[in-house]
Amino acid sequence: MSDQTTDLRETVRRRYAAAAVLVTEGEAACCGPQPVEVDENFGSTLYAADERDSLPAEAVAASLGCGNPTAVAELRAGDRVLDLGSGGGIDVLLSARRVGPTGRVYGVDMTDEMLALALANAAKAGATNVEFLKGTIEALPLPANTVDVVISNCVINLSTDKAAVFGETYRVLRPGGRLGVSDVVADDSLTPAQRAERGDHVGCIAGALSFAEYRAGLEAAGFTDVEIRPTHTVADGMHSAIVHATKPALSEPDTRAATPTDACCGVNACCTDAETPTDPTVSVSAAKTTSGCACEA
C-alpha cells in the first residue's frame, strides 16, 4: 500500500471517528445527540420520516450517506445482508427489520468509534439478528458465498482500491446474489482532476468513479445486469446514484438432446444416459471399444 493510499485511508478514518465521537458526546449532553453537519444531499434527511422515528436517535444522527440503499435493495425475509462501511448502523438496523428473524445483517467498518456506536444502537433497538465486524471493504472479514445482498451508502467512493472492493463484494456474495448500493458517481466527461475541484476525497467527491468506470469495474469483477441510475446532484457533474448488479447463478446442467457436434469416443453425448452411436450401424458398446473410450463401462 502506497504512502498516499495509507494517508487517505487514515484521513477517512479520522473523519468518521470524529463524527462518531460527536454523536456520542451529544448523547451525553442535555439536548441529546446532534446530527453530524452535512448539506441536504447527504445524511438522515434522505430517509423517510417514519424510518428515522423508528430508530435510536444516535443511529440517525450519525448518518452520512448519500441515499437510502435499504429502499432499493429489494430485501426479502430470510436474506443475509452485508453493509459495506456500516457507520453508526442505520442501514443495518433498517435491513434487520426487512429480513426478519430468519435473516441476518452484517456491518463492516474500520473505525472503532463507529463500531462502538453501532453496537450501542443495536442494543437500544433490540436487534438480535445483526453483527458488526471490524475490517476494511477491500478485504472483507467474511467467507466466500456468505451473503445474499450487499448494500452500502456512499462508502465505495471513499476507497482507494475500488477494484478490490468490487472483487471482495463478488467473492462474499452467493451465486445469484445481488448488489444494491447508493454512491456518488461522476459524469463520464469529468477528469479525475475536475472531480477533485468539486470536493475533497473524504467528502465523497474526489474519489468518485465515472458512470463508465463504475460499470467497467463491476463487470471486470464478474457482475452482470449492471444498472446505474442517478437520483440527485451533489455537485456540478456529480450525482448520487443507485447501483444494482448481480453475481451470476451457477450454471444449470446441460440437458440438451445429443447432436453430432457432441460426439466423442464414437458416440454422441459420450458418458451420458443419452448416448447414441455416431454410426447407426454400430452399437454404442462397439463404438466405445473401437475408440478405446475412457468412458467405457
Side-chain angles (χ1 to χ4, degrees):
M1 186 181 296
S2 68
D3 290 342
Q4 181 182 17
T5 298
T6 301
D7 290 345
L8 278 173
R9 178 177 286 181
E10 178 58 20
T11 300
V12 171
R13 190 202 65 78
R14 286 199 302 266
R15 192 247 177 144
Y16 287 89
V21 170
L22 179 65
V23 171
T24 302
E25 290 179 345
E27 177 188 11
C30 63
C31 301
Q34 298 301 306
V36 179
E37 288 189 12
V38 290
D39 63 31
E40 68 276 7
N41 297 312
F42 298 87
S44 61
T45 58
L46 300 174
Y47 294 83
D50 60 338
E51 290 180 317
R52 298 195 303 268
D53 294 344
S54 68
L55 296 173
E58 294 76 21
V60 176
S63 175
L64 292 163
C66 59
N68 179 357
T70 62
V72 300
E74 300 177 3
L75 302 182
R76 306 160 188 160
D79 274 345
R80 289 183 173 265
V81 182
L82 169 63
D83 183 15
L84 305 180
S86 49
I90 185 170
D91 293 317
V92 169
L93 297 178
L94 288 173
S95 298
R97 293 181 177 179
R98 290 176 182 264
V99 303
T102 60
R104 191 159 188 83
V105 186
Y106 302 94
V108 170
D109 204 284
M110 68 176 181
T111 308
D112 290 328
E113 292 85 351
M114 277 294 186
L115 287 168
L117 179 60
L119 287 168
N121 287 332
K124 290 175 183 176
T128 58
N129 59 340
V130 305
E131 184 175 350
F132 292 97
L133 306 169
K134 184 174 182 179
T136 67
I137 61 175
E138 299 86 0
L140 294 168
L142 285 172
N145 307 315
T146 302
V147 297
D148 302 293
V149 187
V150 171
I151 64 172
S152 184
N153 197 348
C154 206
V155 172
I156 295 175
N157 62 76
L158 296 171
S159 173
T160 56
D161 189 352
K162 295 175 181 63
V165 176
F166 295 148
E168 279 290 274
T169 301
Y170 188 90
R171 180 184 67 82
V172 301
L173 276 171
R174 292 173 176 167
R178 53 206 190 274
L179 172 78
V181 306
S182 296
D183 212 358
V184 172
V185 185
D187 284 343
D188 292 333
S189 59
L190 293 183
T191 66
Q194 290 170 325
R195 297 170 212 174
E197 291 171 355
R198 287 156 171 75
D200 60 14
H201 191 93
V202 297
C204 303
I205 302 297
L209 296 175
S210 70
F211 284 90
E213 290 167 344
Y214 217 117
R215 176 179 296 276
L218 288 170
E219 290 177 345
F223 285 98
T224 59
D225 304 321
V226 178
E227 177 187 356
I228 307 172
R229 179 170 58 85
T231 56
H232 59 275
T233 299
V234 298
D236 183 23
M238 312 286 292
H239 314 272
S240 174
I242 295 167
V243 182
H244 285 124
T246 304
K247 179 175 179 176
L250 293 175
S251 298
E252 295 295 326
D254 189 353
T255 57
R256 296 173 301 165
T259 65
T261 57
D262 296 322
C264 65
C265 300
V267 299
N268 291 320
C270 183
C271 307
T272 74
D273 294 333
E275 295 172 333
T276 58
T278 56
D279 182 349
T281 65
V282 178
S283 69
V284 171
S285 297
K288 286 185 174 183
T289 300
T290 301
S291 62
C293 179
C295 303
E296 187 175 359

